[in-house]
Amino acid sequence: MDLKWVPEDEGAADGANDAVVGAIRQLIRDKNKKAVRKVLAHWPPENIMELLVRLPLKAARKLLEILPDQTSSRVLSELRPQYRAAITRDETVERLRELIRRMPPENALDTFRDLPDDVQDRLGPDLKSFEGIQASRAFEKESAGEIMQRRHVALAPDRSAAEAVEALQRASDMIGSVDTVFVIDADNRPIGAFKPRALLLVPPDTPLSKIMSREFPIVSSATDQEEAALATAGTEFKSLPVVDNDGRLVGQITTKMLARVVAEEAAEDMLKLGGVNEDARPTDSVPKILRNRLPWLLAGLVGATIAALIIGSFEEELEKAAILAAFIPVVMSMAGNAGLQASVVSVQALAMGSNWPGDRLIYRFGRELLGALLNGAIAGSILASLILGGSLVFEVADPVRLALATSMSLLTVTTIAAIVGSFVPLALNRLGIDPAAATGVFITTSNDVVGVLVYFLMASTFYF
């Protein structure tokens, strides 16, 4: 049986999905669990969530019991709190509890963190035996302490390479693959680190103090997870030691978790650059869509209104040469694209931990300026050629002056937009403002206003 869910934004979705709901209900009534699992095996969690909401409550509970444990946990994280509370009976929570207990520690922590807060609260008291879950809940949200794994390999500096190999062998069953071994002093403070492969390159009796590197990143448990991910940039160590307020080693952030943090933060930055709140989801309700998007749209509306007022102030010029209006979208589009390109590069660089102090900042300014001038000159030359070529076919008043005005406009707005796009994120970052959140709407608005103003100033100078 091949049943597929039609997204709600596609035409005829309701009719097609009603048939799917009816077919699934019948399979549930027939207690055909195998068929239900086969049908939903490749459905994304958000589609299963929509199915659950459309089913009667009793059928939805039975479906949640039929689904594999991993799928159930992902679907629960997508459900609205009110409906989730009704659907998660004691049997469901018990299945999740057993699922987490059977998982390796790191996977269990990942699954537990993905569950909604209310489900975590119901599971938490019965998982005291699993130290990692309880410990992670004691830290701030999205902090290094919350995402760290408490199990790690840490040895004294006077231990030998042979002893380190034995320790790794013992730890492999408990932790799995080990990316970094930490060296600690008598007070459990990390003083060095090394990669396990280093043990293959030295005699067995070599002390770890001769193997370890003293240059390695360390973060405190209160450090934000994004800052923690950036701490490993440019180092050979991809697992990160986490210390408490006294500098004692309390855990590590694994390579897998760091990669996950980077991916999550990149996704959030993309949403912010697009003028959408970071918690926006494809399944958002209409009120939530309004809350997440309308403020940014209104901010853009302010900029567009200012640009329109500037255009209106040049009404006399437009009456004299209506053809000028045809090139307003060209100039505004070039300004917007140039600014967006530059700002995305800057935000990405900041996200990766790059900064440009002193002479490096001057060098980057010169590089961006030269690149913007070349881009603007090439784009302006192409537009001028098109205008002059078009004047041979269509009647254009004073095509040479028009080509000069529009090409100079493109050169100027592209240069200004690229410089503003490059350095506004840096300035916002210095002021403690998230550059990804503010850059998109700021760049778009400023470029619209500046682009229109520059265009008409150039037209007044070269065309009239």
Side-chain angles (χ1 to χ4, degrees):
M1 183 178 295
D2 185 19
L3 298 175
K4 294 183 179 180
W5 192 263
V6 180
E8 292 182 356
D9 56 353
E10 294 186 10
D14 285 341
N17 291 337
D18 286 342
V20 173
V21 171
I24 297 292
R25 284 189 67 185
Q26 188 58 51
L27 291 175
I28 293 172
R29 288 196 199 100
D30 297 341
K31 299 181 180 180
N32 194 341
K33 298 180 180 180
K34 185 176 179 180
V36 173
R37 288 173 180 157
K38 185 177 180 181
V39 167
L40 304 182
H42 302 293
W43 282 29
E46 57 268 22
N47 288 357
I48 300 178
M49 179 203 70
E50 292 175 12
L51 170 64
L52 282 169
V53 173
R54 296 277 288 272
L55 285 170
L57 186 58
K58 184 177 180 181
R61 286 172 171 169
K62 289 183 177 179
L63 176 59
L64 201 62
E65 293 170 4
I66 292 172
L67 291 173
D69 293 329
Q70 205 85 18
T71 303
S72 294
S73 64
R74 290 199 300 268
V75 172
L76 281 172
S77 67
E78 297 280 347
L79 284 172
R80 295 191 184 96
Q82 299 89 336
Y83 193 75
R84 188 170 59 233
I87 202 172
T88 51
R89 298 187 301 178
D90 292 339
E91 304 94 282
T92 305
V93 174
E94 182 59 35
R95 288 176 63 241
L96 290 171
R97 184 181 295 114
E98 291 304 317
L99 164 69
I100 292 174
R101 282 174 176 165
R102 294 196 301 267
M103 285 182 174
E106 185 176 350
N107 292 343
L109 275 172
D110 289 347
T111 301
F112 187 81
R113 293 190 190 102
D114 286 340
L115 292 172
D117 291 341
D118 55 334
V119 178
Q120 286 188 21
D121 291 338
R122 294 179 67 182
L123 287 172
D126 297 320
L127 292 173
K128 292 179 180 178
S129 59
F130 188 61
E131 57 178 1
I133 287 178
Q134 292 302 322
S136 70
R137 302 188 79 197
F139 297 100
E140 293 291 329
K141 284 281 189 181
E142 298 187 350
S143 67
E146 187 198 23
I147 64 173
M148 74 178 181
Q149 175 179 300
R150 298 185 69 85
R151 298 183 179 186
H152 55 273
V153 178
L155 302 169
D158 57 354
R159 300 285 290 274
S160 68
E163 291 174 311
V165 170
E166 293 176 1
L168 287 171
Q169 290 173 341
R170 291 194 300 270
S172 63
D173 294 336
M174 177 179 65
I175 301 177
S177 60
V178 178
D179 179 78
T180 305
V181 179
F182 307 113
V183 181
I184 54 175
D185 62 14
D187 295 321
N188 201 40
R189 293 185 173 90
I191 57 174
F194 63 89
K195 309 285 284 184
R197 64 172 179 267
L199 299 173
L200 303 175
L201 307 176
V202 297
D205 58 348
T206 303
L208 299 184
S209 58
K210 301 289 187 182
I211 302 173
M212 71 182 190
S213 170
R214 296 184 182 274
E215 300 292 331
F216 63 100
I218 301 176
V219 296
S220 75
S221 57
T223 302
D224 182 81
Q225 64 177 18
E226 185 174 8
E227 293 180 28
L230 295 178
T232 60
T235 72
E236 64 172 316
F237 301 106
K238 301 307 177 186
S239 290
L240 194 61
V242 181
V243 298
D244 60 16
N245 293 334
D246 297 321
R248 295 185 175 87
L249 185 65
V250 293
Q252 67 167 335
I253 305 178
T254 63
T255 304
K256 177 182 176 182
M257 180 55 70
L258 288 172
R260 177 177 174 178
V261 168
V262 170
E264 289 175 351
E265 296 295 338
E268 289 180 5
D269 287 347
M270 287 296 293
L271 289 171
K272 291 175 183 176
L273 281 171
V276 181
N277 283 355
E278 61 190 66
D279 61 345
R281 295 292 182 271
T283 54
D284 283 348
S285 62
V286 172
K288 192 169 184 181
I289 290 175
L290 289 175
R291 289 195 303 271
N292 285 339
R293 304 181 191 180
L294 186 58
W296 300 103
L297 292 175
L298 294 178
L301 178 62
V302 172
T305 303
I306 296 173
L309 293 174
I310 293 174
I311 295 173
S313 68
F314 289 91
E315 183 179 359
E316 292 183 7
E317 284 80 358
L318 286 173
E319 288 179 354
K320 294 177 185 177
I323 194 172
L324 289 175
F327 292 94
I328 293 175
V330 177
V331 174
M332 293 179 68
S333 175
M334 283 294 295
N337 290 337
L340 185 60
Q341 287 176 342
S343 63
V344 167
V345 172
S346 290
V347 170
Q348 181 191 44
L350 290 170
M352 297 302 293
S354 300
N355 52 49
W356 300 274
D359 56 345
R360 291 184 63 194
L361 186 61
I362 296 173
Y363 168 75
R364 182 160 191 258
F365 176 82
R367 186 181 61 189
E368 289 290 341
L369 178 60
L370 179 59
L373 285 170
L374 289 173
N375 284 334
I378 293 171
S381 299
I382 292 174
L383 181 59
S385 299
L386 292 173
I387 291 173
L388 294 174
S391 68
L392 301 176
V393 181
F394 306 100
E395 183 178 350
V396 177
D398 207 342
V400 175
R401 287 181 176 274
L402 179 62
L404 180 60
T406 53
S407 61
M408 289 301 296
S409 296
L410 283 191
L411 173 63
T412 306
V413 299
T414 300
T415 303
I416 293 174
I419 296 301
V420 171
S422 294
F423 292 97
V424 162
L426 303 183
L428 293 173
N429 188 59
R430 292 287 177 88
L431 295 173
I433 301 172
D434 186 350
T439 294
V441 65
F442 184 89
I443 295 296
T444 302
T445 302
S446 63
N447 286 342
D448 284 349
V449 173
V450 172
V452 170
L453 182 60
V454 167
Y455 177 57
F456 279 102
L457 290 176
M458 291 295 176
S460 300
T461 302
F462 294 106
Y463 192 66
F464 295 106

